[in-house]
Amino acid sequence: SLYRSDAGAEPRVRTARRTSISRSKTRHCELASSMSNKPNLPNGFDLRQGTLMCEDIAMPELANRFSTPLYVYSQSAIVTAFNEWRAAFEGARHLVCYAVKANSNIAVLKLLASLGSGFDIVSGGELGRVLAAGGDPQKVVFSGVGKSMAEIDFALKTGIRCFNVESASELALIEKIAGQLGKVAPISIRINPDVDAKTHPYISTGLKANKFGVSADAAIDLYRVTQDSSSLRPVGIDCHIGSQLTEIEPFIESVSHLRNLVLTLGSQGIDLTHIDIGGDLGIRYDDESIPSPKHLISAVRDQLGDLSMELLIEPGRSIVGNAGALLTEVMVIKAGETKHFAVVDAAMNDLLRPALYSAWQNIVEVEKREGNPTIFDIVGPVCETGDFLGKDRSLTLVEGDLLAIMGSGAYSFAMSSNYNTRPRPAEILVSGGIAHVIREREQVEDLWASERL
Ligand code: LLP
């Protein structure tokens, strides 16, 4: 029906690439002959008798019960990914601060809080979500280049673990508000180490040319301010160099900058208790080879040597990304003069990553069908040519078939919109044989409910 649409689809096959976000749009022109049909499914998803399952529930059953498009998350995949981070620290004092922005549904936050997770937030709204989910404010770090007065006030009253401060102006504002409230604000300064994370330019954050963090020299000045102020307390140091990282070396380079700075500060009487290496390793969207959390953390610990500080990390994507799929139905098969299109009921408003970054996500046939595959562009109903979910995918499809866009647990619902007045899909958290509705599908009337004639 009209109000069930959204989302796109497409499975398997691609040639090797280093990250799932393409560096150039030309990769979408890769030849279909390079495509294979191996689904390469992540934790929480598998094929049983030719049908895609999320844990113990068949995806077609979810489509029947909840309609499409539909975000489907595997609880066990989230738990496994989180526990892998915990285990990677092997006894070292640490706090895993899940990056709320990746998927901020309060059921996901509650699940992670129950496992002992901390949270990396970037807005007062995200802090509100963490609190609504029962998260511990003492495990919250507040990142971001532009914190408002209201957000700082809220965070100070809530009593968070620390502010990751990104400029002198921000530090002055926090000092002023903390002074007015009679509080002492815990401060970590975000360093911009000028390290190339070798990821997509839009999500690279640790280069001088990026808006994030401050240089080591500027940081020393800011720490002096914290030392001299009765409303500020220096507690940590942090950095973040980018997202979807597939190599360890850029982390190690930035950690070595942090280590040097911690030693310099220590020699000036500024002793910090934690070091936040930012986040995160990338995930495997296709055939990327990604180092394990254990590999990363042991390399970080080697680099830090005898510095015995609590270690913080802010992973988002690696905890939820591959735990989710966007389930969508093929509405129209259309043979153009040069291309075949499968128009699905999901669209760029449900999954923006392909349109925004030319990101590639695996698109899987939910029920395998006999017959020769055709090369399709999987597109949504939105009125833009940029509304594609996958290009040049080799699939055997008829109208009414279901597709699952894998890797949709992170930055999918979180970046969704109501563009084209499309109500957003429901979110389902599957645990074994139980499907929990963790967000109801929007009704179209909801979309103009706060508008006025
Ligand atoms: N900490 C900070 C300060 C961040 O800026 C980010 C992500 C994270 C942690 C979590 O990064 P992750 O673990 O998810 O890699 N929308 C893009 C990703 C944007 C990431 C922005 N910052 C995408 O869909 O690929």
Side-chain angles (χ1 to χ4, degrees), residues 36-51:
S36 75
N37 280 339
K38 61 169 175 55
N40 194 16
L41 296 170
N43 261 346
F45 295 89
D46 72 287
L47 283 174
R48 279 187 217 162
Q49 281 138 18
T51 298

Side-chain angles (χ1 to χ4, degrees), residues 11 47-48 50-53 58-61 326-328 364-368 397 401-405:
L47 283 174
R48 279 187 217 162
T51 298
L52 183 66
M53 310 285 296
M59 295 289 261
E61 181 188 331
L326 176 56
L327 183 60
T328 185
V364 178
E365 289 151 345
V366 166
E367 286 173 299
K368 194 75 200 134
L397 292 178
D401 279 357
L402 293 170
L403 293 169
I405 307 175

Side-chain angles (χ1 to χ4, degrees), residues 159-448:
I160 62 167
R161 167 80 187 247
C162 74
F163 293 88
N164 289 346
V165 170
E166 306 218 15
S167 65
S169 306
E170 180 190 336
L171 190 64
L173 186 60
I174 294 172
E175 181 181 23
K176 183 172 153 206
I177 299 170
Q180 286 162 356
L181 294 174
K183 306 240 179 218
V184 180
I187 301 296
S188 168
I189 307 290
R190 176 170 174 174
I191 311 305
N192 180 325
D194 197 26
V195 167
D196 184 359
K198 300 188 185 132
T199 186
H200 188 283
Y202 288 8
I203 56 172
S204 174
T205 57
L207 289 170
K208 253 189 224 162
N210 304 142
K211 66 183 173 182
F212 300 99
V214 298
S215 69
D217 286 347
I220 292 173
D221 293 342
L222 296 186
Y223 279 113
R224 289 212 186 96
V225 172
T226 63
Q227 203 180 23
D228 296 342
S229 167
S230 56
S231 303
L232 302 173
R233 187 175 70 249
V235 295
I237 187 164
D238 74 286
C239 76
H240 182 270
I241 54 174
S243 190
Q244 186 57 17
L245 269 62
T246 55
E247 291 170 23
I248 298 251
E249 290 69 27
F251 281 104
I252 300 309
E253 204 182 326
S254 65
V255 165
S256 96
H257 287 286
L258 293 186
R259 180 178 197 277
N260 292 342
L261 198 47
V262 166
L263 295 175
T264 306
L265 291 165
S267 71
Q268 299 181 11
I270 301 170
D271 292 316
L272 304 175
T273 55
H274 80 246
I275 184 159
D276 178 347
I277 65 169
D280 180 8
L281 288 162
I283 62 170
R284 189 168 188 191
Y285 285 102
D286 184 12
D287 54 6
E288 303 88 340
S289 71
I290 311 276
S292 67
K294 189 173 171 180
H295 184 178
L296 172 67
I297 299 304
S298 71
V300 165
R301 289 175 71 184
D302 285 350
Q303 183 66 34
L304 290 175
D306 57 0
L307 268 195
S308 82
M309 297 165 76
E310 184 178 7
L311 277 176
L312 270 58
I313 188 161
E314 304 165 1
R317 191 195 312 263
S318 67
I319 292 178
V320 291
N322 268 333
L326 176 56
L327 183 60
T328 185
E329 183 180 314
V330 177
M331 299 194 296
V332 174
I333 300 272
K334 189 174 164 181
E337 286 196 16
T338 57
K339 286 224 148 202
H340 293 273
F341 297 99
V343 184
V344 298
D345 62 3
M348 65 188 288
N349 69 298
D350 307 304
L351 179 61
L352 185 60
R353 303 187 68 257
L356 187 59
Y357 314 112
S358 294
W360 187 93
Q361 293 184 210
N362 196 10
I363 303 179
V364 178
E365 289 151 345
V366 166
E367 286 173 299
K368 194 75 200 134
R369 166 179 295 292
E370 293 301 309
N372 289 332
T374 302
I375 308 303
F376 287 103
D377 278 8
I378 309 298
V379 300
V382 162
C383 298
E384 294 206 24
T385 299
D387 177 27
F388 61 87
L389 300 162
K391 290 194 173 177
D392 296 332
R393 307 300 176 98
S394 174
L395 298 164
T396 308
L397 292 178
V398 301
E399 291 175 0
D401 279 357
L402 293 170
L403 293 169
I405 307 175
M406 308 308 293
S408 298
Y411 304 112
S412 302
F413 180 86
M415 295 173 78
S416 67
S417 76
N418 294 118
Y419 188 39
N420 280 210
T421 304
R422 293 168 54 82
R424 282 177 297 179
E427 293 177 283
I428 306 293
L429 183 64
V430 173
S431 171
I434 303 173
H436 302 277
V437 179
I438 59 170
R439 191 175 206 271
E440 300 283 347
R441 183 177 301 279
E442 286 175 347
Q443 299 301 307
V444 73
E445 297 80 8
D446 299 342
L447 273 45
W448 59 79

